[in-house]
Amino acid sequence: MKKTIAFHLQKGGVGKTTVSGALACQSAINGHPTVYVDVDPQGNASSWFLKKGTRFEFADVLQGEANLEDVIVEASKVKNLFLIPTFGVGGSLKNYSETRLAEEPYVIQDLIGELSKDFDRIILDLSPGFGRLEKSALIACDEVITPMTPEFFSVEGLEIFINEIQKTKKNFRSNVKHSKVVINAFDERIKQHRDIFNSASEGQYKVYKIPVDPVFRKSQEDGTAPQLYKSLGRGLKSSTREALEDLEFEIWR
Ligand SMILES: Nc1ncnc2c1ncn2[C@@H]1O[C@H](COP(=O)(O)OP(=O)(O)OP(=O)(O)O)[C@@H](O)[C@H]1O
Ligand SMILES: [Mg+2]
């Protein structure tokens, strides 16, 4: 199904980039051309998948200084994965969101509309926080999926997020769907993780889990898909592989 999905929780370091990037890879590996938009001034998604910088970046399109086709670039090591990159160093995206975005909150939505003429599957990686940039990105999407870690502060963060998303939907008359939560870096052996999964599952959300797996970090250092990363013949744990395949099925149907 044709869809644009953002991965977001305002809390930092919960795995927004890891989960969105791994699922963008899963889609690409399964043969679907997939666009991965780096809506984070830190540029983590771009430094993961691109070996070198490009002439233009996401902020240039937002400012009307480049066209989409000037910016979109295939990942260095993952076929079918296309990036709209952001490079942390220059700070152009941060600068744009602080100076001009307030006057044009629908600019990302327009751009996604343009992109979706050519691509059925679009994923957005968002920065931590719930400011102007994140709101503009969220209202551009059909769905937002929340990655969180199995810890108390993340559970608190999810409550804040649910509140914020409701306000944003109302203020911008957005229909963005929010019905899925991914508990990331899950360890079945830890009781607290199991408890958080169980209590989250009792609510109105569909809750998934992605295991803790050192291959995520290694694949980020190596610039490749976690699914393709191998060192000494070993890659992702089979439980991680299955979790990503299941999620791929769930999120695009
Ligand atoms: N399932 C996992 N197993 C092991 N390590 C993980 C897992 N998920 C994420 N990590 C590691 O945790 C760190 C933080 O993850 P990531 O950068 O994806 O979080 P984030 O929410 O995008 O952060 P930010 O809020 O800064 O954008 C990274 O070093 C990543 O490799
Ligand atoms: Mg990130």
Side-chain angles (χ1 to χ4, degrees):
M1 192 180 146
K2 198 176 176 80
K3 223 191 250 188
T4 299
I5 306 174
F7 285 80
H8 192 45
L9 179 69
Q10 72 283 350
K11 185 170 162 29
V14 294
K16 293 179 285 297
T17 306
T18 302
V19 173
S20 61
L23 289 167
C25 287
Q26 190 66 50
S27 171
I29 289 166
N30 287 2
H32 305 279
T34 305
V35 183
Y36 189 29
V37 190
D38 192 347
V39 197
D40 181 354
Q42 297 176 103
N44 294 154
S46 308
S47 58
W48 181 357
F49 293 111
L50 296 176
K51 274 198 274 191
K52 46 180 197 278
T54 51
R55 178 151 173 238
F56 294 112
E57 57 178 313
F58 182 48
D60 296 321
V61 195
L62 296 176
Q63 295 178 103
E65 285 164 14
N67 296 319
L68 267 174
E69 57 268 26
D70 301 325
V71 177
I72 196 157
V73 54
E74 193 165 18
S76 310
K77 295 189 181 178
V78 190
K79 202 171 168 283
N80 279 328
L81 179 64
F82 298 90
L83 271 285
I84 300 210
T86 288
F87 299 105
V89 207
S92 312
L93 182 58
K94 186 167 181 286
N95 193 27
Y96 173 82
S97 65
E98 284 169 359
T99 55
R100 283 181 51 188
L101 193 58
E103 292 154 31
E104 36 197 55
Y106 295 100
V107 69
I108 300 181
Q109 188 177 70
D110 293 345
L111 206 124
I112 296 292
E114 196 59 26
L115 252 184
S116 59
K117 290 182 192 156
D118 295 319
F119 292 92
D120 286 354
R121 294 182 169 203
I122 303 169
I123 290 183
L124 275 62
D125 180 34
L126 268 59
S127 37
F130 215 113
R132 221 173 260 153
L133 179 62
E134 294 75 33
K135 285 180 192 157
S136 289
L138 287 167
I139 60 169
C141 295
D142 301 303
E143 179 166 5
V144 52
I145 299 177
T146 299
M148 60 180 273
T149 38
E151 51 180 340
F152 174 66
F153 290 145
S154 270
V155 175
E156 260 190 346
L158 178 63
E159 283 165 27
I160 297 167
F161 184 81
I162 292 169
N163 232 328
E164 289 292 332
I165 196 90
Q166 272 160 1
K167 279 195 273 178
T168 304
K169 283 177 72 165
K170 189 163 168 264
N171 293 343
F172 291 90
R173 295 185 175 78
S174 156
N175 279 327
V176 62
K177 186 176 159 193
H178 181 230
S179 63
K180 298 184 183 77
V181 169
V182 177
I183 301 189
N184 179 41
F186 188 86
D187 188 336
E188 201 69 60
R189 294 166 303 185
I190 300 175
K191 183 175 177 303
Q192 189 201 15
H193 289 197
R194 297 195 304 271
D195 289 346
I196 286 180
F197 176 82
N198 291 336
S199 64
S201 305
E202 282 164 12
Q204 53 183 314
Y205 291 85
K206 188 104 173 70
V207 185
Y208 304 88
K209 41 193 171 186
I210 292 185
V212 65
D213 196 321
V215 167
F216 286 118
R217 186 180 46 76
K218 291 180 188 163
S219 71
Q220 287 160 353
E221 286 163 7
D222 192 51
T224 193
Q227 294 89 337
L228 302 177
Y229 180 86
K230 287 249 154 53
S231 171
L232 304 172
R234 292 178 63 183
L236 282 176
K237 298 191 282 197
S238 58
S239 56
T240 312
R241 241 172 237 290
E242 278 164 31
L244 294 174
E245 283 162 12
D246 289 350
L247 261 163
E248 144 90 1
F249 176 77
E250 292 282 332
I251 68 175
W252 298 113
R253 71 191 176 129

